[in-house]
Amino acid sequence: MDSVAITDHGVMYGAVRFYKEAKAQGIHPVIGCEVYLAPGMRQERAEVDGTRYYHLILLAENETGYRNLVELISLANIEGYYYKPRIDKELLRQYHEGIIALSACVAGEIPQAILRGNNERAEALVAEYVGIFGQDNFFLEIQDHGLPEEKTVNRALRELAKKYDIGLVATNDVHYVNREDAKAHDILLCIQTAASVDDDDRMSFPNDQFYLKSPEEMAEAFKEYPEA
């Protein structure tokens, strides 16, 4: 691969070290963040319909985008912290320039509307995000880690992409580099959450599919979605 992106959850602590290492290896670095989006105003410390926050992928397209991303993450921590550092759409409208947005995993706002069976809401959200980022800077994101809800979301996102002439992007959640790292990652999660591997109700990942897949593996996983 000739490019690699970093999209840590809600923070950008690793961005500079990541950028320098990618450059040293002759790889194009894409700096981004998987931000937490408040369901209402960022200042409101409350859930909306049982939701504390949605996920949204933001990628810096250029230096302006990088500076806006830094601004967004700073304000998320200063003004929007509720369980997680959260931004809102008011901030996105203010600091969207130079940023490419993806609709995120099944925890994104559009996928959640789809999973709740609210197609009208999903369509309205697509229009809203296009209005914020522009037709060329907003993409609908499909994933396949073998989860049934992803199948449902992917089919609906493909229809929305066709209807609104929006790009469809296939991604894979990467929490460790190699498939065989899944067990070590599971143990690290236990350490992070002060849990035991024997705890039934602890935080864990459903399978070993959250690794950096090759282009060939991605092409095979999304052979029904060649446009992505």
Side-chain angles (χ1 to χ4, degrees):
M1 301 184 196
D2 58 10
S3 306
V4 64
I6 186 169
T7 55
D8 285 342
H9 284 261
V11 297
M12 293 175 66
Y13 306 138
V16 173
R17 184 179 172 193
F18 163 86
Y19 178 89
K20 288 179 177 177
E21 183 62 27
K23 284 289 192 184
Q25 300 292 344
I27 304 284
H28 174 66
V30 178
I31 296 176
C33 186
E34 183 162 4
V35 298
Y36 297 101
L37 180 73
M41 296 295 290
R42 64 189 180 279
Q43 298 90 345
E44 296 170 351
R45 273 42 172 184
E47 297 181 7
V48 176
D49 296 328
T51 301
R52 291 173 184 164
Y53 45 77
Y54 297 104
H55 292 196
L56 183 68
I57 300 290
L58 302 181
L59 304 170
E61 185 178 23
N62 47 39
E63 187 176 347
T64 299
Y66 172 74
R67 294 184 182 280
N68 279 332
L69 199 53
V70 169
E71 197 73 35
L72 286 167
I73 301 308
S74 298
L75 291 169
N77 281 277
I78 295 166
E79 300 178 355
Y81 206 99
Y82 178 67
Y83 289 89
K84 303 287 185 183
R86 308 172 311 158
I87 60 168
D88 60 12
K89 286 174 185 166
E90 180 186 41
L91 288 179
L92 285 176
R93 290 187 180 94
Q94 192 173 349
Y95 297 105
H96 69 274
E97 189 182 347
I99 289 177
I100 293 169
L102 314 183
S103 59
C105 57
V106 290
E109 191 175 17
I110 294 171
Q112 281 295 301
I114 291 167
L115 290 171
R116 289 169 181 163
N118 194 340
N119 293 328
E120 281 186 23
R121 170 81 176 147
E123 293 203 23
L125 287 168
V126 168
E128 185 176 22
Y129 281 112
V130 169
I132 293 171
F133 294 101
Q135 190 82 19
D136 296 331
N137 278 44
F138 179 67
F139 295 84
L140 294 171
E141 180 178 358
I142 60 174
Q143 296 189 338
D144 186 356
H145 305 90
L147 309 178
E149 56 266 39
E150 291 174 332
K151 306 285 188 194
T152 302
V153 167
N154 290 353
R155 286 192 294 268
L157 288 178
R158 173 185 247 174
E159 293 308 310
L160 286 170
K162 285 180 184 173
K163 186 171 182 178
Y164 293 98
D165 192 27
I166 294 170
L168 199 63
V169 177
T171 71
N172 200 72
D173 243 347
V174 178
H175 286 261
Y176 39 89
V177 179
N178 305 302
R179 189 172 185 172
E180 55 269 27
D181 296 334
K183 187 172 182 182
H185 174 257
D186 192 48
I187 292 167
L188 278 171
L189 273 181
C190 289
I191 294 169
Q192 182 187 8
T193 57
S196 164
V197 288
D198 298 323
D199 293 346
D200 293 329
D201 59 348
R202 68 180 175 87
M203 180 187 177
S204 63
F205 278 55
N207 54 41
D208 61 359
Q209 293 297 302
F210 295 82
Y211 65 97
L212 185 62
K213 294 181 178 177
S214 69
E216 293 76 21
E217 286 174 300
M218 290 296 284
E220 176 61 26
F222 295 97
K223 57 188 175 187
E224 293 178 31
Y225 298 88
E227 71 274 27

